mmCIF file of all heavy atoms in Angstrom:
data_model
loop_
_atom_site.group_PDB
_atom_site.id
_atom_site.type_symbol
_atom_site.label_atom_id
_atom_site.label_comp_id
_atom_site.label_asym_id
_atom_site.label_seq_id
_atom_site.Cartn_x
_atom_site.Cartn_y
_atom_site.Cartn_z
ATOM 1 N N GLN M 244 120.945 94.751 146.797
ATOM 2 C CA GLN M 244 120.981 93.272 146.612
ATOM 3 C C GLN M 244 120.970 92.866 145.141
ATOM 4 O O GLN M 244 121.011 91.684 144.861
ATOM 5 C CB GLN M 244 119.801 92.649 147.339
ATOM 6 C CG GLN M 244 119.733 92.957 148.802
ATOM 7 C CD GLN M 244 120.947 92.325 149.513
ATOM 8 O OE1 GLN M 244 121.355 91.167 149.260
ATOM 9 N NE2 GLN M 244 121.602 93.129 150.352
ATOM 10 N N TYR M 246 118.489 93.329 142.821
ATOM 11 C CA TYR M 246 117.239 92.935 142.199
ATOM 12 C C TYR M 246 116.757 93.936 141.163
ATOM 13 O O TYR M 246 117.101 95.152 141.279
ATOM 14 C CB TYR M 246 116.143 92.815 143.266
ATOM 15 C CG TYR M 246 116.275 91.614 144.150
ATOM 16 C CD1 TYR M 246 116.883 91.742 145.397
ATOM 17 C CD2 TYR M 246 115.762 90.381 143.780
ATOM 18 C CE1 TYR M 246 116.989 90.591 146.209
ATOM 19 C CE2 TYR M 246 115.865 89.275 144.538
ATOM 20 C CZ TYR M 246 116.522 89.323 145.831
ATOM 21 O OH TYR M 246 116.624 88.250 146.615
ATOM 22 N N GLN M 258 111.245 91.678 139.326
ATOM 23 C CA GLN M 258 111.430 90.640 138.342
ATOM 24 C C GLN M 258 112.105 89.440 139.075
ATOM 25 O O GLN M 258 113.212 89.526 139.492
ATOM 26 C CB GLN M 258 112.296 91.140 137.213
ATOM 27 C CG GLN M 258 111.798 92.357 136.489
ATOM 28 C CD GLN M 258 110.475 92.163 135.802
ATOM 29 O OE1 GLN M 258 110.329 91.118 135.201
ATOM 30 N NE2 GLN M 258 109.603 93.083 135.887
ATOM 31 N N LEU M 259 111.364 88.345 139.148
ATOM 32 C CA LEU M 259 111.860 87.242 139.984
ATOM 33 C C LEU M 259 111.215 85.896 139.558
ATOM 34 O O LEU M 259 109.975 85.837 139.344
ATOM 35 C CB LEU M 259 111.523 87.495 141.418
ATOM 36 C CG LEU M 259 112.179 86.568 142.500
ATOM 37 C CD1 LEU M 259 113.666 86.829 142.592
ATOM 38 C CD2 LEU M 259 111.539 86.793 143.844
ATOM 39 N N ASN M 260 112.036 84.888 139.372
ATOM 40 C CA ASN M 260 111.455 83.523 139.136
ATOM 41 C C ASN M 260 110.732 83.068 140.364
ATOM 42 O O ASN M 260 111.122 83.327 141.466
ATOM 43 C CB ASN M 260 112.623 82.567 138.820
ATOM 44 C CG ASN M 260 113.156 82.791 137.400
ATOM 45 O OD1 ASN M 260 112.712 83.636 136.672
ATOM 46 N ND2 ASN M 260 114.151 82.016 137.047
ATOM 47 N N LYS M 261 109.629 82.370 140.156
ATOM 48 C CA LYS M 261 108.712 82.048 141.209
ATOM 49 C C LYS M 261 109.412 81.148 142.283
ATOM 50 O O LYS M 261 108.983 81.184 143.409
ATOM 51 C CB LYS M 261 107.496 81.337 140.633
ATOM 52 C CG LYS M 261 107.743 80.039 139.902
ATOM 53 C CD LYS M 261 106.445 79.472 139.301
ATOM 54 C CE LYS M 261 106.666 78.218 138.449
ATOM 55 N NZ LYS M 261 105.436 77.708 137.870
ATOM 56 N N ASP M 262 110.416 80.368 141.901
ATOM 57 C CA ASP M 262 111.035 79.500 142.896
ATOM 58 C C ASP M 262 111.910 80.255 143.847
ATOM 59 O O ASP M 262 112.382 79.689 144.855
ATOM 60 C CB ASP M 262 111.848 78.387 142.205
ATOM 61 C CG ASP M 262 112.868 78.894 141.264
ATOM 62 O OD1 ASP M 262 112.949 80.101 141.005
ATOM 63 O OD2 ASP M 262 113.666 78.089 140.739
ATOM 64 N N ARG M 263 112.120 81.558 143.564
ATOM 65 C CA ARG M 263 112.932 82.394 144.476
ATOM 66 C C ARG M 263 112.082 83.258 145.397
ATOM 67 O O ARG M 263 112.655 84.026 146.231
ATOM 68 C CB ARG M 263 113.888 83.232 143.667
ATOM 69 C CG ARG M 263 114.993 82.462 142.905
ATOM 70 C CD ARG M 263 116.038 83.391 142.324
ATOM 71 N NE ARG M 263 116.639 84.230 143.290
ATOM 72 C CZ ARG M 263 117.271 85.362 143.058
ATOM 73 N NH1 ARG M 263 117.280 85.837 141.802
ATOM 74 N NH2 ARG M 263 117.884 86.086 144.015
ATOM 75 N N VAL M 264 110.787 83.173 145.279
ATOM 76 C CA VAL M 264 109.922 84.058 146.091
ATOM 77 C C VAL M 264 110.095 83.775 147.538
ATOM 78 O O VAL M 264 110.244 84.742 148.374
ATOM 79 C CB VAL M 264 108.433 83.877 145.651
ATOM 80 C CG1 VAL M 264 107.527 84.569 146.629
ATOM 81 C CG2 VAL M 264 108.256 84.426 144.271
ATOM 82 N N PRO M 265 110.101 82.491 148.029
ATOM 83 C CA PRO M 265 110.304 82.262 149.422
ATOM 84 C C PRO M 265 111.608 82.792 149.996
ATOM 85 O O PRO M 265 111.661 83.325 151.126
ATOM 86 C CB PRO M 265 110.222 80.731 149.590
ATOM 87 C CG PRO M 265 109.470 80.284 148.357
ATOM 88 C CD PRO M 265 109.840 81.254 147.324
ATOM 89 N N GLU M 266 112.664 82.678 149.165
ATOM 90 C CA GLU M 266 113.938 83.168 149.591
ATOM 91 C C GLU M 266 113.938 84.689 149.781
ATOM 92 O O GLU M 266 114.479 85.251 150.816
ATOM 93 C CB GLU M 266 115.030 82.806 148.518
ATOM 94 C CG GLU M 266 116.392 83.433 148.751
ATOM 95 C CD GLU M 266 117.335 83.234 147.569
ATOM 96 O OE1 GLU M 266 116.962 82.397 146.639
ATOM 97 O OE2 GLU M 266 118.367 83.929 147.537
ATOM 98 N N LEU M 267 113.317 85.433 148.810
ATOM 99 C CA LEU M 267 113.223 86.875 148.974
ATOM 100 C C LEU M 267 112.410 87.293 150.183
ATOM 101 O O LEU M 267 112.789 88.177 150.919
ATOM 102 C CB LEU M 267 112.613 87.470 147.717
ATOM 103 C CG LEU M 267 112.293 88.958 147.752
ATOM 104 C CD1 LEU M 267 113.609 89.770 147.958
ATOM 105 C CD2 LEU M 267 111.688 89.475 146.450
ATOM 106 N N ASN M 268 111.296 86.591 150.436
ATOM 107 C CA ASN M 268 110.493 86.897 151.556
ATOM 108 C C ASN M 268 111.294 86.710 152.899
ATOM 109 O O ASN M 268 111.223 87.571 153.775
ATOM 110 C CB ASN M 268 109.274 85.933 151.603
ATOM 111 C CG ASN M 268 108.259 86.273 152.663
ATOM 112 O OD1 ASN M 268 108.005 87.426 152.939
ATOM 113 N ND2 ASN M 268 107.765 85.230 153.322
ATOM 114 N N GLN M 270 114.534 86.908 153.199
ATOM 115 C CA GLN M 270 115.563 88.008 153.323
ATOM 116 C C GLN M 270 114.922 89.318 153.796
ATOM 117 O O GLN M 270 115.502 89.994 154.629
ATOM 118 C CB GLN M 270 116.203 88.172 151.979
ATOM 119 C CG GLN M 270 117.135 87.065 151.519
ATOM 120 C CD GLN M 270 117.626 87.290 150.142
ATOM 121 O OE1 GLN M 270 117.064 88.064 149.333
ATOM 122 N NE2 GLN M 270 118.725 86.553 149.802
ATOM 123 N N MET M 281 102.734 89.456 148.910
ATOM 124 C CA MET M 281 103.597 89.132 147.790
ATOM 125 C C MET M 281 102.721 88.353 146.771
ATOM 126 O O MET M 281 102.222 87.271 147.122
ATOM 127 C CB MET M 281 104.816 88.313 148.208
ATOM 128 C CG MET M 281 105.731 89.050 149.177
ATOM 129 S SD MET M 281 107.130 88.039 149.604
ATOM 130 C CE MET M 281 108.169 88.219 148.099
#
Side-chain angles (χ1 to χ4, degrees):
Q244 300 297 314
Y246 286 97
Q258 304 296 321
L259 190 70
N260 286 359
K261 60 184 178 183
D262 57 354
R263 293 188 59 200
V264 171
E266 174 191 345
L267 175 59
N268 186 40
Q270 290 176 341
M281 298 182 76

